[in-house]
Amino acid sequence: MPAERERLARIKSNLKRRARIYDIVREFFRGRGFLEVETPIRVPCIAPELNISPLKSEDWYLAASPELHMKRLLAAGYKQIFQVSHCFRKGEHGRQHNPEFSLLEWYRADAGFMDVISDTEHLVCTLMQELHAGNILHYQGQEIALDLPWPRLSVKDVFLKIAGWDPMADYNAERFDYDMATLVLPALSPARPTVLVEYPAAAASLARLKTGDNSVAERAEVFIGTMELANAYSELTDAAEQRQRFMKESAQIEREQGQVIPLSEPFLEALSFLPECGGIALGMDRLVMLFCDAGNIDEVCAFTEENI
Amino acid sequence: MEIEEVRKNTKLMYQGKPWNVDNAEFVKPGKGRAIYRLRLKNLLDSSTLDITFHSGEKVDEASISNQEMQYLYKEGDHYVFMNTSNFDQTFVTETQMGDKINFLKEGVLVNVQLLEDRPIDISIPVFVELEVVETGTAIKTATVTAQNKSAKLETGYSLDVPAFIKEGDMLKIDTRTGAYVERLTKK
């Protein structure tokens, strides 16, 4: 108990700053006409994703992201919505991971992936202003210049340059993930944010493909220094294609992991009403880590799985 | 065990050898496959190995047991311990002992970790009490800060102690840092 009291006293200034960041984030979105929504944490279906293991709750799941329900709201005519919710991903432990974590998601109708990337840039700059941090973020001994716009690099160019192959021409999921984690991410500029844009079509997940180039998905990821912060899509609105992608992913999960993930029929039904839209998921714990100069997620969460 | 369950200080069997996980780093692009980067230290010879695992892979956990043993004496470059329940004797090498040799005197009880019957590590108390066998007088300097001098303990270990310490004093030593804590008795 004394150790816990000491630990919680030590991170108190971080938890206060965390609460302030939540306030600024909410003000930011409300000021731009977004509606804050809440969707269920415990759900009967999730999007099948090979590399995201869900946690079960009886026969249902704990949400790994609020994406499916938020898109059902968009399909019903809600044009700008945001949510901060707790999400769950089995086995994710590390300096930047906890199996239960906080995700900020927002969606804009009549927009695309680069519009929500632009929101992200302005959100982070607003936080810098409100927290009186200037233009330079000091994080773990590194100065990171946040002035806009943040550099955009295409996945194709960065892979050709750093990993020496073109994932658009000859996609290999295992090699792509491994080279991304071990070669590409460590080579990103530590002194600037980076937006990686245009992922291989095979890594599209719930993103739509680029008009006129079927090898490319309209997907982008934001890195601050080398920390992955957010993942954006121009959302796929083609229900038939989404069903096909889900079935393909599900079949692979069943084959490799022996699990059957049920498809969400209400989501697939709603998709035919989904307007063109951009959506993004941003790790709130990591955002707080950046602004608290915290190297470990347990410095910005009162209780993680290690000390629950 | 699943690679997902491996943490810092988990003990593993890998390529037929026992290892301690000195560091475990979890790397995972949000949508990509997780990678586990482990820094392993060989429990027998202290060599290190960096290795990468992918999610879904399995590793063998080393089965480690704990046994109370008494430190008897040093023989060549081995240290002889006796199992207090069956009186079997076992040997620990100088490399395995590391700097713990500085704090161990004959006759003390320690906890020995065994991999099957082979000792791989010993746990010693955080604080130990050791006698000063040799110390000189402090070198006078012009400063007014506390003056330290060197002292040699009964285990052969030398450390900095305050100027008032004399031969025959019992000292409390922090084995994590090797530093002097306080004087316990005065002869």
Side-chain angles (χ1 to χ4, degrees), chain B residues 111-174:
Chain B
N111 204 8
V112 178
Q113 276 110 57
L114 299 166
L115 173 74
E116 285 151 14
D117 290 331
R118 297 168 78 175
I120 51 168
D121 200 4
I122 71 166
S123 307
I124 57 171
V126 174
F127 297 105
V128 292
E129 294 168 12
L130 294 168
E131 186 179 345
V132 177
V133 292
E134 201 180 301
T135 186
T137 46
I139 302 151
K140 291 264 190 297
T141 66
T143 62
V144 289
T145 53
Q147 290 179 355
N148 280 357
K149 60 176 182 174
S150 175
K152 190 173 167 188
L153 306 180
E154 58 188 306
T155 57
Y157 174 60
S158 291
L159 78 168
D160 278 352
V161 296
F164 60 80
I165 298 295
K166 295 184 180 58
E167 285 172 18
D169 284 347
M170 288 300 287
L171 306 185
K172 185 173 174 182
I173 310 294
D174 185 329

Side-chain angles (χ1 to χ4, degrees), chain A residues 168-203:
Chain A
M168 305 296 167
D170 185 17
Y171 186 72
N172 172 323
E174 201 154 308
R175 189 177 174 200
F176 183 77
D177 290 344
Y178 190 76
D179 285 0
M180 178 68 90
T182 59
L183 300 175
V184 173
L185 300 187
L188 297 182
S189 167
R192 282 289 276 158
T194 302
V195 185
L196 288 187
V197 299
E198 303 199 330
Y199 276 66

Side-chain angles (χ1 to χ4, degrees), chain A residues 49 51-52 91-93 95 97 174 177-178 181-182 219 228 231 233 306, chain B residues 4 7 25-37 52 54-55:
Chain A
E49 297 210 48
N51 294 310
I52 296 180
E92 302 200 356
H93 284 276
R95 284 184 299 119
H97 294 84
E174 201 154 308
D177 290 344
Y178 190 76
T182 59
R219 175 182 162 197
E228 182 187 19
N231 179 60
Y233 297 147
E306 304 302 321
Chain B
E4 282 78 2
R7 297 282 183 276
E25 193 188 352
F26 176 76
V27 184
K28 184 181 184 303
K31 301 282 175 186
R33 196 172 179 196
I35 291 166
Y36 298 80
R37 281 204 197 108
T52 301
H54 289 97
S55 63

Side-chain angles (χ1 to χ4, degrees), chain B residues 74-102:
Chain B
K74 185 178 177 189
E75 189 179 81
D77 55 3
H78 284 80
Y79 295 80
V80 184
F81 288 80
M82 183 183 69
N83 185 325
T84 52
S85 47
N86 62 12
F87 310 108
D88 280 353
Q89 290 188 7
T90 191
F91 303 93
V92 176
T93 65
E94 203 151 359
T95 320
Q96 288 174 317
M97 290 292 291
D99 51 12
K100 288 168 195 151
I101 52 173
N102 294 329

